[in-house]
């Protein structure tokens, strides 16, 4: 499945990508969910991504279509559930690959590319992304070297 992620990532120049440099990387986890937040500013973010994934879903969540990872972007049209199809964390670059439906809901074209400004908290970020991808059966590629 990882082989499917990498060719999509290589075609990034063909897409309009929602991109920014993350000054803030936040990972929170409790008994119910995992939340990853990335933002271009800690005081007045204009570009950000929030990924939230519940650790379990009930029948009500499934009925409402809320039984997948929740994605929100700063300046987007609306947040969406589901549509994350691949995650690539390579060096200081994070790439989120989205389905066409998720792109339309979020009001962006292409994927999401985030340059990490710091390695602080990288272990927690890797663990949280890995957990979200495993629970949602999303392709996850990880490398400590590469772009950046």
């Amino acid at each position: 499945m990882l082989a499917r992620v990498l060719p999509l990532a290589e075609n990034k120049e063909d897409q309009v990508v929602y991109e920014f440099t993350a000054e803030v990387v936040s990972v929170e986890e409790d008994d119910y969910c995992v939340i990853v937040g990335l933002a271009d500013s800690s005081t007045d973010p204009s570009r950000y991504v929030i990924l939230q994934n519940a650790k379990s879903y009930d029948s009500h969540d499934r009925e409402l279509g809320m039984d997948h990872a929740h994605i929100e972007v700063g300046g987007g049209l609306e947040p969406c559930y589901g549509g994350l199809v691949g995650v690539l964390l390579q060096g200081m670059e994070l790439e989120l690959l989205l389905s066409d439906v998720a792109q339309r809901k979020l009001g962006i074209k292409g994927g999401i590319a985030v340059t990490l400004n710091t390695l602080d908290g990288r272990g927690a970020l890797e663990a949280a992304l890995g957990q979200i991808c495993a629970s949602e059966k999303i392709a996850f590629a990880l490398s400590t070297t590469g772009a950046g």
Side-chain angles (χ1 to χ4, degrees):
M1 188 179 244
L2 291 181
R4 287 183 40 211
V5 174
L6 298 176
L8 291 173
E10 291 169 1
N11 294 330
K12 188 165 75 172
E13 61 274 354
D14 297 336
Q15 303 175 8
V16 178
V17 177
Y18 181 87
E19 60 186 327
F20 65 96
T21 298
E23 301 293 327
V24 178
V25 177
S26 173
V27 175
E28 296 181 28
E29 181 175 3
D30 61 22
D31 293 340
Y32 306 102
C33 68
V34 177
I35 301 170
V36 173
L38 304 144
D40 63 357
S41 170
S42 61
T43 55
D44 189 23
S46 62
R47 294 179 85 71
Y48 64 85
V49 174
I50 300 171
L51 296 175
Q52 182 175 337
N53 193 54
K55 293 185 177 180
S56 65
Y57 300 105
D58 61 23
S59 60
H60 186 67
D61 294 330
R62 285 186 279 282
E63 287 171 20
L64 296 173
M66 298 168 58
D67 56 337
H68 298 284
H70 180 264
I71 308 165
E72 180 179 339
V73 297
L77 293 177
E78 64 179 277
C80 69
Y81 286 91
L84 183 61
V85 297
V87 175
L88 173 63
L89 181 58
Q90 187 173 23
M92 301 291 282
E93 303 294 324
L94 172 63
E95 191 167 343
L96 305 176
L97 305 171
L98 304 171
S99 70
D100 291 340
V101 172
Q103 290 176 44
R104 281 192 300 275
K105 284 186 177 181
L106 294 167
I108 60 176
K109 292 184 180 188
I112 299 170
V114 181
T115 300
L116 306 175
N117 198 36
T118 178
L119 286 176
D120 291 346
R122 181 178 167 110
L125 177 62
E126 287 176 16
L129 291 172
Q131 186 175 342
I132 291 169
C133 290
S135 72
E136 296 288 314
K137 297 177 177 57
I138 296 167
F140 181 47
L142 173 66
S143 172
T144 55
T145 62

